Amino acid sequence: MTPRTPSSGSDPKQTAENRSAQETAAKQTVPRQATAKKTATKKAAARKTPAQKAVAKKTAAEQAPVEKAVAKKAMAKKAAAGALVPKAPAERAVAKKAARKAPARKAVAGPSAAEQAAAAGAEPVSGAEESAEKAVAKRASAKKAPARSTAKSPAKAAAEKATAKKAPAKRTVAKKAPAKRTAVKRAPAKKTTGAGAGKAVTAPPVVPAPSPALEAEDRERLLAGTHHDPHAVLGAHAVEGGVAFRAFRPYARSVTVVCGELRAELYDDGQGFFSALLPLQDVPDGYRMVVAYEETVVETEDAYRFLPTLGELDLYLIGEGRHEQLWTALGAHPMTHQGVTGTRFTVWAPNARGVRLAGTFNFWDGTGFPMRSLGSSGVWELFVPGIGEGELYKFEITRPDGSRTLRADPMARRTETPPNTSSIIHSSTYEWGDADWLARRAERPAHEAPFSVYEVHLPSWRPGLTYRQLAEQLPAYVKDMGFTHVELMPIAEHPFGGSWGYQVTGFYAPTARLGSPDDFKYLVDALHQAGIGVLMDWVPAHFPRDDWALAEFDGRPLYEHPDPRRSAHPDWGTLEFDFGRREVRNFLVANAVYWCEEFHIDGLRVDAVASMLYLDYSREPGQWVPNEHGGRENLDAVAFLQEMNATVYRRAPGVVTIAEESTAWDGVTRATHHKGPSGFGGLGFGLKWNMGWMHDSLQYMSKDPVHRRHHHHELTFSMVYAYSENYVLPISHDEVVHGKRSLVSKMPGDWWQQRANHRAYLGFMWAHPGKQLLFMGQEFAQGAEWSEAHGPDWWLLDPAYGAEADHRGVRDLVRDLNSVYRATPALWERDVHPDGFQWIVADAADDNVLAFLRLDAEGTPLLSVSNFSPVVRHDYRLGVPDDIPAWHEVLNTDAARYGGSDVTRPDPVKPEAQGWHGRPASIRLTLPPLATVWLRPA
C-alpha cells in the first residue's frame, strides 16, 4: 500500500496578509488569462484566410460563454478550496484595489506573475504580490502534476508562439450533444504543405481550471465512513461553468480523467481527494480514471458515475418483506451495468451511519469505497467496475455510536474455508443434467410415496473427500442400499465444525470445506441422476454470536429480537431470529426458496421447530414474556413457518418440508388455511419427525427381554396418535452421540443378541406406519458412537476383520428391507390413512409379540410379526383375513445371511378355518427369537 501524498490544503501558519495576497492573486487569474487569450486570437486572425477567419470567429463565439462561466465559477467558489479564509472589510478593500493592478498566478508550477504580465502586456506586479504568488507556486509544485509542472521562460514562450504561427494548435471545442450525452471533441489539425505536409499536429494537454474542493462536512463524512450519498459529491456533476469531476482515492499520487481524446489531470485537494472543473456542457456518458500510485498506475471506470443497480420494485419488495428471490437483489453479483462489467454490492443495514466496501481489490481498506444508502429501505449499494469472480470482500459498517465493524455478507453465496471468514464473489456457471428428475418428483406426494432416508454428515461420511469426489461414491452407495433419499446435515456455512452445521453464519453459502457452490451442485445432480432425492437440514431457529457475522450486524439488534428475553437461546448460547420483523422473515423465507431453486434441493428438514414455537422453551418463570393473548405460543414464529411453507410449496412443486418438532403442537402438517381446535391454522409442513415413537421404542428396546412385558405399551402407544400428523420415524444422529451409544449398543444381551435386537427393531420400524430415517453407520451396526472427527467405522466391513460378516449381515438386511419396502405399496401408500393399518395382536405383552397388517390402496395386505423375546415360539397362532389363500414369507431378520439363527419358513402358510384374534381364519407360525417376519399373499 502506498503512502498518501502531502496535503495541498491551506497552511494554518500563514499570516492574514499572505492569505489576502493569495486571494487577490486568485481573483485575477481567469480575467487576465481571458484578456491575453483574446489579444493572441486577434493577432492570429489577421494572418488567416477568410475561411479560417470564419472558423476562428465561430470558435471564439462558442468559447466565450464557457470562459466567462469558468472565470465566474473560479471566483465564486475560491473559499471552498480550503486555501483562503474570510477577510475583514479592510482586507477586502485592499484585495479589491490589488485586483485592478495585476493578475494572480495560477496555482501550478509555471511562469512567474511578472512573466505572465509581461507576456500579456500588463504592468508588473508589486514585490508583496510577487512574494505571495511565489508561496502559492511553491506549494503547488509539490503536487508533481505532470501536465502542469513544466515552467516556461519568456524566450521559450516566444519560440512556441512563433511555431504556432506555422501550425495552429488544435483546439478543444465542447459541442452540444443529445440529452444526457456529451461528446468532447477537438477540431482537426489544419493540413500543411511543404516539408510539414502529412504530419499530424498534437495539441498540448488540456489544463483544467481548478474545481472547488468538497465542502468540509462532506470530506469529514467520507473520511469517517458516515456518508449516506457519496455519489452525490463524487464522480462527475454538471455545475455552473462546466462539469466538476471529484475523486476520493486515498494514497494516490495523481488522478487523471480520460474521456475520448480529452485527458485532464485533477487537482490534488489533499487527504486523498482530487477535483477539477472541465469546460464541458454535459456529464460524459462514459469516462475513465487513470490513478497513479507510488509503484503502479491503474486505469479504471469511476464507480461513482453509475446509477443505482436496484430498481424501485426490488426496494419495494424488500421494504415489504416480500422479495421471494432476495438473493438476486442483495449480496455480491457480477454483472454488466450501463455497458460496464463489474460487481454490484448490496447489503441491508438500516441502523448503520455508513457502509464501506473492503476486499482484496482495495487491500482491505474500504476508505475509498463508500456505499450509498437507497432511501428508507435500509439497503446500501455500490457498483464496482472491473472486479468479479473470486474476489474476497466484507462490509465495513459504521455503527450508530461511531465505532466500526467488519462484517461478512449475510447474503454471500460463497465463503472462505473456515476458520477464515471472508465472503467471496461468486457467479455460478453450472449446467444441470437432472431435468427428468425434476419433472417426475411432483408426480406423487411424499406422504403417499416410498420414503426411506439415509442421513449423512458429508464432511465425515468419507473424511477428506470433496463434493465432486463424494459424487463418485455416495450416489452409488445409497442406490445400492435402496434408500430413496439422502438427508444432509446442515450444509450451509458454519465456523465451528463441532456444531455439525447447526450454528450457521453463511445461510446462502454451502460450506467451503468440501468445495465451491458449483461443486455442491454437481453432487446434488449426481444423486438425482442416480434416482435419489436430496433433503437438507435447515436451521432458521437461531444463529451464533460471532462478531463478524449476524449478531448486532449494524450496531444494534437486527436479525435477533431486540428483547434479550426473546433473543438469547438458553440451551445453545446462540441468538434467536426476530420472526416478527418482516425483513428478517424475508431473509429466511427467501433462503428456504433459494436452496430449492438454486441447488434443486428436494426437501428441507427444519431444525428445532419446538424451540421456535414456544416463548417459554427452556425458560423458567420470569424469563419470558407472554404473547398478546397471554399465552406461551410465539405468534411471530407461527406466522413465519406458515409463510415459509406456503411459499416453498407454491414455488417449488415436488419439494417436501419436514419439521423436527418434539411436542404435541396441533396441526404441524395441516394446511395453513385449516384451523384446528386450538384456533391456529396448520403450520403447513409436509412431514413431521415422530420423536415420541423414537423415544418410546428405543426405551422399550433397551430393556432386557424379561422386563419388556412391563413396557409393552411403549411400542403400541404410537398407534394412538399415528394419524394425527404425517410422520417420519427417525433414528438420527442425535440418538447415537453424546453418551447415548450407537443403535446396536443400546440393545441388551451379548453380541449375538444385540445384533438380533438391532435387526428385529429395524424390521419393526420399516413396517410401522410412517417414513424411515437411519443415520449413517447404523446400517452396518457400528458399535461406537459417531464422531464428526472420523465418521463411520468403515473398517468393520473389511473382509480382513474377523467380525466383518456380522456387520455385513446387518447391512444386507437394510438393503433387503429397502428393496421389499419399495416394491410393496402396502408399506407406504396409506401411511397417513387409518384404513392402511390393522392390529392383529397388540396385547401379547407376556410373549413380547406384536402383529399387524399394512394395506395398500387396493386392500392388498402385508403381515408383520415381531417377537422381541429371545426364545423360539412354535405354532404361534395369529388371526388373519379369510380371503387370502396362502401367505409367503418375504423377509425374516433371523435369516442366516443376516447373521441370525435361520429359523425361517420357505414354504407358504395356508390359513385354517379356526377364528383367532377376532378374525375368521388363522395361521400357525414358528416365530424366530428376537426377530421380525414379513408375510404377504402368496
Side-chain angles (χ1 to χ4, degrees), residues 75-323:
M75 290 187 290
K77 298 293 184 177
K78 59 183 178 297
L84 303 177
V85 295
K87 299 186 292 294
E91 292 174 316
R92 287 197 296 269
V94 173
K96 184 175 182 181
K97 182 177 180 181
R100 292 193 296 267
K101 290 185 177 181
R105 185 178 178 182
K106 290 171 66 176
V108 295
S112 67
E115 291 169 336
Q116 290 180 357
E123 63 183 35
V125 296
S126 66
E129 291 167 334
E130 176 73 12
S131 299
E133 291 167 349
K134 285 182 179 179
V136 175
K138 184 178 181 180
R139 288 199 305 275
S141 64
K143 299 177 184 178
K144 298 181 180 180
R148 304 185 298 273
S149 61
T150 304
K152 299 177 183 178
S153 66
K156 187 173 182 180
E160 289 182 354
K161 185 175 181 181
T163 303
K165 295 178 180 179
K166 298 180 180 179
K170 187 188 297 183
R171 297 181 179 179
T172 300
V173 181
K175 297 183 178 181
K176 278 194 174 182
K180 296 186 180 181
R181 181 176 180 87
T182 300
V184 181
K185 299 182 179 179
R186 296 180 185 272
K190 183 180 178 182
K191 294 183 179 179
T192 60
T193 59
K199 294 183 180 179
V201 179
T202 303
V206 175
V207 180
S211 171
L214 287 175
E215 294 185 2
E217 181 182 358
D218 286 320
R219 289 171 67 108
E220 291 173 4
R221 290 171 63 194
L222 286 169
L223 289 169
T226 59
H227 207 297
H228 279 67
D229 193 8
H231 293 70
V233 294
L234 300 178
H237 300 274
V239 297
E240 183 180 356
V243 174
F245 288 82
R246 299 188 186 97
F248 183 29
R249 291 283 174 164
Y251 314 115
R253 297 178 66 89
S254 67
V255 177
T256 302
V257 170
V258 177
C259 180
E261 294 184 3
L262 173 66
R263 186 180 183 91
E265 184 174 345
L266 306 187
Y267 288 89
D268 186 345
D269 298 325
Q271 296 180 294
F273 293 94
F274 297 83
S275 64
L277 180 65
L278 301 185
L280 303 175
Q281 291 183 343
D282 293 298
V283 175
D285 274 353
Y287 63 89
R288 299 177 66 81
M289 294 195 308
V290 178
V291 186
Y293 295 95
E294 185 173 345
E295 297 180 354
T296 187
V297 176
V298 177
E299 183 172 350
T300 180
E301 299 280 351
D302 184 2
Y304 296 92
R305 78 171 181 83
F306 294 96
L307 297 172
T309 53
L310 284 185
E312 291 298 325
L313 179 59
D314 283 318
L315 295 176
Y316 173 78
L317 293 174
I318 291 171
E320 290 291 308
R322 299 287 182 182
H323 204 306

Side-chain angles (χ1 to χ4, degrees), residues 671-694:
T672 57
H673 58 282
H674 288 168
K675 290 188 177 181
S678 63
F680 290 105
L683 296 182
F685 285 94
L687 297 168
K688 172 184 174 178
W689 273 22
N690 195 335
M691 309 293 282
W693 172 89
M694 178 271 298

Side-chain angles (χ1 to χ4, degrees), residues 489-629:
M489 289 168 69
I491 204 68
E493 192 59 271
H494 49 282
F496 177 50
S499 74
W500 310 331
Y502 289 97
Q503 294 193 11
V504 179
T505 50
F507 282 81
Y508 284 78
T511 180
R513 293 170 174 86
L514 308 180
S516 70
D518 281 2
D519 293 337
F520 178 58
K521 290 180 179 180
Y522 182 87
L523 172 60
V524 174
D525 202 352
L527 287 162
H528 283 171
Q529 293 185 47
I532 300 163
V534 181
L535 312 175
M536 188 188 87
D537 280 14
W538 185 56
V539 191
H542 62 123
F543 57 91
R545 296 174 180 264
D546 298 75
D547 59 6
W548 50 268
L550 296 183
E552 292 191 350
F553 182 75
D554 58 3
R556 292 178 181 168
L558 186 66
Y559 289 92
E560 66 270 41
H561 201 282
D563 186 343
R565 291 171 296 182
R566 292 186 60 177
S567 65
H569 199 291
D571 291 343
W572 304 311
T574 53
L575 296 171
E576 298 184 9
F577 282 102
D578 182 2
F579 301 111
R581 185 162 189 167
R582 59 180 180 270
E583 296 95 340
V584 175
R585 283 204 313 271
N586 194 174
F587 174 81
L588 293 170
V589 171
N591 186 242
V593 175
Y594 170 76
W595 289 104
C596 297
E597 292 189 354
E598 292 293 320
F599 291 92
H600 294 194
I601 296 297
D602 303 296
L604 299 172
R605 177 265 194 187
V606 183
D607 182 66
V609 172
S611 72
M612 301 165 65
L613 291 175
Y614 297 98
L615 296 169
D616 62 345
Y617 184 87
S618 289
R619 293 178 173 89
E620 300 297 327
Q623 296 179 340
W624 61 281
V625 180
N627 63 33
E628 61 191 36
H629 305 298

